[in-house]
């Protein structure tokens, strides 16, 4: 089989992993002869599905011993199979990188022979890139749950980011759809990475020259919509991961119809809006100071018609109106339509003069959502809506939003 | 007064002089030297040491805004500078101020353009040199050149734009004049492979074209090789999705639905005759269910019935059955005291001439048939399960258990029974050499004896 055909099969098989981030790494590695990482990731292209192409996202092989129901590469699927050699992946990465097609490599793999062997192969690719080619670009390695601690340590040395997929939000879901994967093994692998990261930070603090360990931290992915588990449970799991394992990102992947899909799975079209709402709620947890219980109850689903922040505000009208000229940062972050950056701007401006409705519009806050909830330095006619029955209807986005009436 | 500045350094030098002699913004007209002016360059006061201190964030902002194409940038910058130094030191905090607002938006446009340049430059290999032609919105070649030098220090490369070009010789950056689109380098051989990747990584089940165009503006498409296939990708998307859906494997891939509500071995056997959970039921003659003692201490699990078993409806009758009987005898086991069954209950074959040639059952067939085996083991509750061959091992112990490495090992099962994996008697018959056959037969006998020991 030629490289082109292998690339076709193994890129196709890898595309259901949502993560594409190439950000978060600290400065470029010393001795890098090709490539750099400067904190901010770069999306080199976009495909018509609206997703960015940042990393060369491929599997080393899609042969797999496991039979996870939601996975296109499960053992019982009749999807075409292929396997790259370590040298082929290294070569492809370097040549694509030189032409500025990509930021680096995102390598995952089906499990062949054993967890140990598979992890060794993944590590061999990263090591060859760093050592043989002086590659300084971004490398994201997938960790195989249950991999030996020595292999995790070595993976962290060569990779910028590591991730072990939690796959499904609850242990029961995992048992049902991915019987060979065990929750304690997955979480154990994440713990091992978190520990190593902490260890390195402590060494550095103590003035020791500790070698690199996954400078861009670790992330994970959850498949959403393959089981009836509600959003509240999903976010609870994510919140736990952010706190305990200090993950940088949890990716939610709407279960999408895959070729050769197992019929035990629901639906045909992926629940994209639900995925979007989960990301919005995730942001509220991480950047807006919301606790998971405030955003959603454990057994409930997020509303699809309004975003979670607006939904919270509609349910807590007694918190409003909030005066943009006097309220503290924590309160301003709770106003629908105000983002973190605009809150920072508001705090800077109001030291010099009081903000008016015009000022807020100029900052491009989502005025339609924000107007009924804020008091400004001048008259704000939108405020009268706050105590009306039709508030939700008034602030809900419509098809005509964003069309300038003038 | 008319001041001409072509770049940031010229503007900065001019402004030092203007500020030193307190020339207010209203008294200066800036041009960027693109239009000819009769009065340009006259009477700029010389730069003397200034009493004013300019905050570093403003300089960083000005350096970016200077790359903007809009001619009014110099005047806007000077006015902001004037206000900063004349009583409004906090001006930059006021994001809603008209000047600050304009400058912030201009800076954002330049920053975005520079970011897109870092993303969308596509090098093409010309001999040992890598060359790219790119059309940025603003004059950002100098702003981004150092990024490419840091990223590709070992390569020799050039980036050509209509305004300016830059070359890295492995040691230093050299700036040169603009280059028109017609002088862009020829396509690189690797672009075919890149397009292959682009097509494969696209998920035709989710189309978000508007989102894509927002991030990958159409004006950049001509210099990106992968955009040539976008029209094809969109056209074939519905077909690819339909194919995916058509490929979904049918819902009846488990025998669970065929299990009888009341369970004993007789009712199971009866129900299994009508099982259609996989496609093997079609070509096979009949279901071959397990047989033996209902309270056996030992259950032997084979792969699937063979040609003779399929005709007669009983397991392990043919040549493999004879090998098994002989081995059991040698191990001191009585066939009448055990229960014998198969992981898959139908014969899988392909026709080779007039013969029905055995074919190994695949994972889906093993999975589909699993409930029968599970129900048999549940009813019999044996002390030991002997897995004959890799397929039976897979059905009893799961996929990650490697038959080749762990044959002969005693493994506890969830049901408190213990399992042992050994060769299938048919494998003994197919051994490449008589010596190998003897070895395998000896192993089979030894493992059966272990099973007998475990059963007590």
């Amino acid at each position: 089989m030629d490289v082109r055909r292998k690339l076709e099969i193994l890129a196709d098989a890898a595309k259901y992993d949502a993560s594409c981030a190439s950000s978060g790494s600290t400065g470029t590695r010393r001795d890098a002869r090709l490539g750099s990482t400067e904190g901010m990731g770069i999306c080199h292209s976009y495909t018509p599905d609206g997703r960015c192409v940042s990393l060369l996202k491929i599997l080393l092989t899609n042969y797999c011993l496991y039979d996870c129901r939601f996975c296109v590469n499960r053992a019982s699927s009749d999807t075409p199979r292929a396997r790259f050699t370590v040298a082929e992946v290294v070569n492809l990465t370097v040549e694509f990188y030189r032409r500025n097609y990509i930021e680096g490599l995102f390598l995952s793999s089906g499990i062949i022979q054993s967890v140990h062997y598979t992890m060794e192969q993944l590590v061999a690719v990263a090591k060859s890139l760093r050592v043989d080619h002086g590659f300084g670009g971004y490398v994201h390695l997938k960790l195989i749950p249950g991999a030996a601690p020595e292999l995790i340590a070595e993976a962290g040395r060569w990779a910028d980011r590591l991730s072990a997929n939690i796959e499904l939000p609850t242990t029961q879901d995992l048992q049902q759809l991915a019987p060979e994967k065990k929750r304690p093994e997955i979480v154990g692998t994440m713990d091992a990475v978190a520990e190593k990261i902490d260890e390195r930070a402590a060494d550095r603090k103590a003035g020791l020259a500790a070698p690199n360990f996954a400078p861009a931290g670790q992330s994970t992915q959850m498949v959403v919509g393959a089981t009836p588990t509600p959003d509240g449970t999903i976010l609870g799991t994510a919140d736990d991961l952010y706190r305990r394992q200090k993950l940088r990102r949890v990716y939610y992947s709407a279960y999408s119809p895959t070729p050769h899909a197992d019929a035990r799975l629901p639906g045909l079209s992926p629940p994209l809006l639900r995925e979007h709402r989960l990301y919005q709620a995730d942001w509220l947890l991480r950047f807006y100071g919301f606790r998971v219980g405030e955003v959603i109850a454990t057994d409930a689903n997020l509303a699809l018609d309004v975003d979670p922040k607006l939904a919270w505000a509609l349910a807590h009208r007694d918190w409003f109106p909030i005066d943009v000229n006097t309220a503290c940062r924590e309160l301003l972050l709770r106003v629908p339509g105000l983002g973190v950056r605009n809150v920072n701007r508001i705090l800077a401006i109001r030291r010099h003069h009081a903000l008016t409705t015009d000022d807020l519009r100029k900052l491009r806050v989502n005025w339609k959502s924000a107007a009924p909830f804020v008091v400004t330095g001048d008259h704000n006619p939108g405020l009268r809506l706050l105590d009306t029955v039709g508030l939700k209807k008034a602030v809900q986005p419509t098809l005509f939003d964003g069309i300038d009436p003038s | 007064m008319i001041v001409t500045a072509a770049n940031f350094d010229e503007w900065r030098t001019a402004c030092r002089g203007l500020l030193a002699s307190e020339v207010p913004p209203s008294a200066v007209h800036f041009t960027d030297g693109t239009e000819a002016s009769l009065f340009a360059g006259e009477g700029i006061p010389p730069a003397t040491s200034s009493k004013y201190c300019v905050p570093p964030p403003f300089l960083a902002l000005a350096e970016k805004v200077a790359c903007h194409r809009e001619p009014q940038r110099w005047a806007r910058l000077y006015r902001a500078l004037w206000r900063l130094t004349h009583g409004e030191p906090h001006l930059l905090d006021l994001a809603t101020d008209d000047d600050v607002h304009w400058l912030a938006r201009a800076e954002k446009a330049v920053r975005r353009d520079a970011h897109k340049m870092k993303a969308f430059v596509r090098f093409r290999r010309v001999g040992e040199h890598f060359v790219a032609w790119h059309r940025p919105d603003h004059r950002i070649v100098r702003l981004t050149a150092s990024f490419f030098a840091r990223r590709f220090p070992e390569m020799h490369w050039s980036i050509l734009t209509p305004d300016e070009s830059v070359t890295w010789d492995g040691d230093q950056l050299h700036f040169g004049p603009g280059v028109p689109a017609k002088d862009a380098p020829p396509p690189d051989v690797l672009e075919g492979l890149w397009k292959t990747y682009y097509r494969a990584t696209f998920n035709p089940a989710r189309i978000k074209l508007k989102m894509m165009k927002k991030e990958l503006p159409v004006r950049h498409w001509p210099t990106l090789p992968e955009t040539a296939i976008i029209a094809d990708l969109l056209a074939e998307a519905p077909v690819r999705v339909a194919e995916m859906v058509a490929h979904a494997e049918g819902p009846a891939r488990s025998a669970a639905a065929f299990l009888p509500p009341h369970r004993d071995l007789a009712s199971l056997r009866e129900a299994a005759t009508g099982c259609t959970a996989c496609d093997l039921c079609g070509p096979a003659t009949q279901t071959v269910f397990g047989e033996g003692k209902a309270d056996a201490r030992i259950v032997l699990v084979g792969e699937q019935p063979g040609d003779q078993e399929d005709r007669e409806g009983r397991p392990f009758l043919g040549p493999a059955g004879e090998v098994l009987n002989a081995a059991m005898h040698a191990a001191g086991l009585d066939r009448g005291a055990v229960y014998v069954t198969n992981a898959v209950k139908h014969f899988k074959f392909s026709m080779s001439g007039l013969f029905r040639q055995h074919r190994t059952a695949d994972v889906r067939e093993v999975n589909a048939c699993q409930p029968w085996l599970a129900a048999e083991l549940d009813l019999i509750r044996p002390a030991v399960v002997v897995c004959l061959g890799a397929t039976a091992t897979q059905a009893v112990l799961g996929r990650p258990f490697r038959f080749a490495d762990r044959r002969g090992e005693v493994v506890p099962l969830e049901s408190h029974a213990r399992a042992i994996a050994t060769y299938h008697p048919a494998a003994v018959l197919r051994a490449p050499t008589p010596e190998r056959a003897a070895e395998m037969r000896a192993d089979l006998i030894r493992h059966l004896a272990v099973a007998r020991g475990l059963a007590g």
Side-chain angles (χ1 to χ4, degrees):
Chain A
M1 194 185 281
D2 66 343
V3 172
R4 176 180 303 252
R5 178 68 186 138
K6 286 186 187 178
L7 181 62
E8 204 166 74
I9 294 173
L10 294 169
D12 189 89
K15 71 182 168 202
Y16 301 100
D17 218 304
S19 162
C20 74
S22 52
S23 56
S25 210
T26 48
T28 304
R29 280 165 193 261
R30 262 180 286 155
D31 324 322
R33 302 195 301 273
L34 171 71
S36 55
T37 47
E38 303 187 352
M40 190 156 50
I42 297 175
C43 298
H44 285 269
S45 194
Y46 291 82
T47 42
D49 52 18
R51 284 182 169 175
C52 86
V53 181
S54 180
L55 303 170
L56 172 63
K57 196 191 298 182
I58 47 175
L59 300 186
L60 192 59
T61 175
N62 66 340
Y63 287 103
C64 191
L65 284 173
Y66 288 4
D67 198 35
C68 310
R69 308 275 186 268
F70 55 84
C71 179
V72 63
N73 304 312
R74 69 185 184 286
S76 60
S77 163
D78 59 358
T79 191
R81 308 276 172 173
R83 179 177 175 183
F84 273 130
T85 63
V86 169
E88 279 168 342
V89 176
V90 169
N91 193 32
L92 210 52
T93 308
V94 168
E95 291 304 319
F96 274 10
Y97 197 89
R98 286 185 167 174
R99 284 154 183 85
N100 204 37
Y101 297 161
I102 52 169
E103 276 300 281
L105 175 68
F106 179 166
L107 188 65
S108 180
S109 180
I111 294 162
I112 43 170
Q113 296 197 19
S114 66
V115 166
H116 187 79
Y117 175 79
T118 310
M119 197 63 232
E120 256 175 13
Q121 294 286 302
L122 293 179
V123 169
V125 170
K127 184 175 178 183
S128 170
L129 276 172
R130 299 292 190 214
V131 177
D132 304 338
H133 296 268
F135 184 69
Y138 197 86
V139 176
H140 180 161
L141 280 192
K142 201 49 88 184
L143 289 176
I144 312 294
E150 313 86 79
L151 283 173
I152 295 179
E154 206 182 347
R157 180 160 172 216
W158 308 120
D160 291 280
R161 174 165 284 185
L162 297 175
S163 63
N165 279 358
I166 191 103
E167 307 291 11
L168 292 160
T170 69
T171 309
Q172 291 87 323
D173 291 345
L174 206 59
Q175 238 160 27
Q176 191 191 340
L177 294 184
E180 285 101 349
K181 293 204 169 168
K182 303 280 179 280
R183 186 60 166 273
E185 251 178 26
I186 299 173
V187 174
T189 302
M190 287 179 172
D191 283 339
V193 175
E195 227 169 80
K196 277 273 176 196
I197 291 175
D198 285 350
E199 206 175 282
R200 178 173 188 271
D203 281 357
R204 296 277 292 192
K205 212 170 173 186
L208 301 170
N212 266 331
F213 189 88
Q218 63 170 331
S219 64
T220 193
Q221 165 165 311
M222 248 189 273
V223 176
V224 174
T227 57
T229 302
D231 295 341
T233 312
I234 293 173
L235 283 172
T237 302
D239 190 53
D240 237 31
L241 293 171
Y242 284 129
R243 284 164 193 281
R244 290 206 201 148
Q245 281 83 17
K246 301 198 188 85
L247 291 201
R248 294 280 181 96
R249 276 292 291 276
V250 173
Y251 289 91
Y252 306 94
S253 171
Y255 174 74
S256 158
T258 54
H260 321 283
D262 190 294
R264 270 160 284 201
L265 290 161
L268 287 179
S269 63
L272 294 185
L273 186 55
R274 183 173 175 204
E275 180 189 287
H276 180 58
R277 292 282 181 250
L278 278 168
Y279 277 117
Q280 288 178 321
D282 185 275
W283 248 247
L284 291 186
L285 300 182
R286 291 194 293 147
F287 306 115
Y288 289 79
F290 281 79
R291 279 174 295 111
V292 67
E294 291 180 295
V295 181
I296 184 86
T298 324
D299 53 353
N301 278 313
L302 294 165
L304 292 182
D305 54 350
V306 287
D307 68 76
K309 195 178 178 190
L310 188 53
W312 178 86
L314 288 172
H316 297 85
R317 292 193 210 184
D318 51 318
W319 286 53
F320 299 98
I322 284 172
D323 186 340
V324 290
N325 288 308
T326 58
C328 62
R329 189 165 195 281
E330 289 69 25
L331 276 180
L332 286 175
L333 283 172
R334 295 201 170 225
V335 177
L338 285 189
V340 175
R341 276 190 9 173
N342 271 332
V343 166
N344 290 339
R345 287 193 189 119
I346 288 171
L347 292 173
I349 294 170
R350 75 186 193 188
R351 267 185 286 169
H352 307 290
H353 68 72
L355 283 119
T356 61
T357 54
D358 274 348
D359 285 332
L360 292 181
R361 283 214 187 98
K362 222 168 182 178
L363 290 175
R364 300 196 160 183
V365 307
N366 182 344
W367 186 239
K368 184 178 170 180
S369 309
F373 298 101
V374 291
V375 172
T376 53
D378 58 345
H379 173 58
N380 170 16
L383 196 52
R384 73 188 152 74
L385 288 168
L386 181 60
D387 291 324
T388 60
V389 179
L391 176 62
K392 182 170 173 181
K393 206 163 172 5
V395 291
Q396 224 171 338
T398 68
L399 278 178
F400 304 102
D401 289 345
I403 297 173
D404 198 344
S406 57
Chain B
M1 186 183 301
I2 295 176
V3 174
T4 303
N7 57 42
F8 177 65
D9 289 331
E10 285 179 33
W11 173 84
R12 189 179 183 179
T13 313
C15 287
R16 278 195 184 126
L18 293 171
L19 264 192
S21 30
E22 297 288 337
V23 182
S26 55
V28 197
H29 177 74
F30 285 93
T31 73
D32 56 6
T34 45
E35 72 244 69
S37 166
L38 277 176
F39 311 103
E42 278 176 23
I44 303 175
T48 53
S49 65
S50 171
K51 60 182 174 179
Y52 296 116
C53 188
V54 180
F58 177 76
L59 277 181
L61 172 79
E63 207 175 344
K64 292 221 172 66
V65 174
C67 302
H68 204 278
R69 251 180 229 289
E70 196 55 54
Q72 58 166 310
R73 68 193 184 284
W74 297 135
R76 289 273 192 181
L77 280 171
Y78 186 60
R79 194 155 67 220
L81 179 62
W82 179 268
R83 290 174 62 192
L84 271 171
T85 49
H86 291 78
E88 295 179 76
H90 302 295
L91 181 67
L92 292 185
D93 284 346
L94 305 178
T96 52
D97 176 89
D98 270 342
D99 282 331
V100 178
H101 190 60
W102 191 91
L103 290 174
R105 287 185 62 183
E107 191 241 10
K108 194 174 167 191
V110 169
R111 207 156 21 95
R112 184 178 152 91
D113 194 34
H115 188 74
K116 291 295 179 199
M117 178 162 168
K118 291 171 190 173
F120 298 156
V121 154
R122 292 285 183 269
F123 285 116
R124 289 172 156 172
R125 192 175 191 145
V126 180
E128 283 309 295
H129 210 88
F130 289 84
V131 186
W133 193 89
H134 179 73
R135 190 198 294 277
D137 296 339
H138 301 288
R139 297 187 184 92
I140 51 169
V141 171
R142 277 168 200 268
L143 196 66
T144 53
S146 61
F147 166 82
F148 289 99
R150 289 194 299 276
R151 175 155 285 200
F152 304 108
E154 272 206 342
M155 276 161 42
H156 290 199
W157 51 260
S158 302
I159 299 174
L160 318 173
T161 79
D163 298 306
E164 202 173 12
S165 61
V166 58
T167 297
W168 170 258
D169 59 8
D171 184 43
Q172 263 186 327
L173 291 167
H174 302 277
F175 293 92
V179 175
K182 66 179 172 57
D183 295 334
D188 192 299
V189 284
L190 211 74
E191 283 169 14
L193 211 50
W194 171 236
K195 286 180 195 163
T196 302
Y197 175 69
Y198 186 75
R199 180 179 184 273
T201 200
F202 160 60
N203 182 354
R206 10 191 326 163
I207 296 208
K208 289 184 172 176
L209 203 57
K210 207 173 130 192
M211 168 94 147
M212 176 217 187
K213 285 183 177 169
K214 200 175 127 202
E215 295 297 338
L216 187 72
V218 178
R219 63 178 181 282
H220 286 302
W221 287 21
T223 57
L224 299 167
E226 65 271 26
T227 55
I229 61 168
I230 288 176
D232 293 345
L233 290 184
L234 291 172
E236 69 188 20
V239 182
R240 282 173 76 184
V241 175
E243 268 172 21
M244 284 174 162
V245 173
H247 255 92
E249 290 152 12
R253 294 288 147 179
S254 166
F258 294 87
L259 293 181
H262 170 72
R263 298 217 187 132
D264 54 37
L265 283 175
S267 67
L268 274 184
R269 171 189 294 273
E270 177 59 32
T273 57
C275 179
T276 54
C278 71
D279 301 332
L280 298 183
C281 59
T285 313
Q286 56 187 311
T287 304
V288 180
F289 208 70
E291 63 173 31
K293 240 175 122 203
D295 56 351
R297 298 279 290 156
I298 299 179
V299 170
L300 303 180
V301 185
E303 185 208 359
Q304 57 166 320
D307 180 73
Q308 197 176 336
E309 287 85 354
D310 175 66
R311 292 176 207 279
E312 301 191 24
R314 295 179 54 206
F316 285 103
L317 292 177
E322 280 167 30
V323 174
L324 180 65
N325 288 342
M328 284 175 72
H329 183 73
L333 277 172
D334 175 13
R335 172 118 183 211
V338 303
Y339 185 89
V340 182
T341 188
N342 280 306
V344 174
K345 308 279 192 269
H346 277 116
F347 180 34
K348 181 175 180 181
F349 61 90
S350 57
M351 294 305 291
S352 116
L354 289 174
F355 296 100
R356 300 198 295 174
Q357 174 110 40
H358 162 274
R359 278 174 55 212
T360 308
D362 67 26
V363 189
R364 274 170 297 158
E365 288 144 3
V366 175
N367 282 352
C369 215
Q370 171 82 26
W372 293 119
L373 180 61
E376 284 174 294
L377 292 177
D378 234 28
L379 284 170
I380 300 166
R381 303 197 144 271
V384 187
V385 180
V386 180
C387 309
L388 302 169
T391 307
T393 307
Q394 192 190 96
V396 175
L397 292 167
R399 302 247 340 146
F401 186 92
R402 288 176 61 73
F403 174 79
D405 304 340
R406 302 181 61 186
R407 192 168 6 88
E409 198 178 305
V410 176
V411 191
L413 290 177
E414 275 171 29
S415 62
H416 306 299
R418 281 175 288 183
I420 182 168
T422 185
Y423 291 113
H424 194 282
V428 177
L429 292 173
R430 285 199 301 268
T433 60
E435 295 79 43
R436 184 76 189 117
E439 266 176 46
M440 290 166 80
R441 193 188 308 269
D443 269 2
L444 174 61
I445 294 170
R446 192 157 49 81
H447 296 149
L448 285 172
V450 171
R452 194 191 64 164
L454 289 172

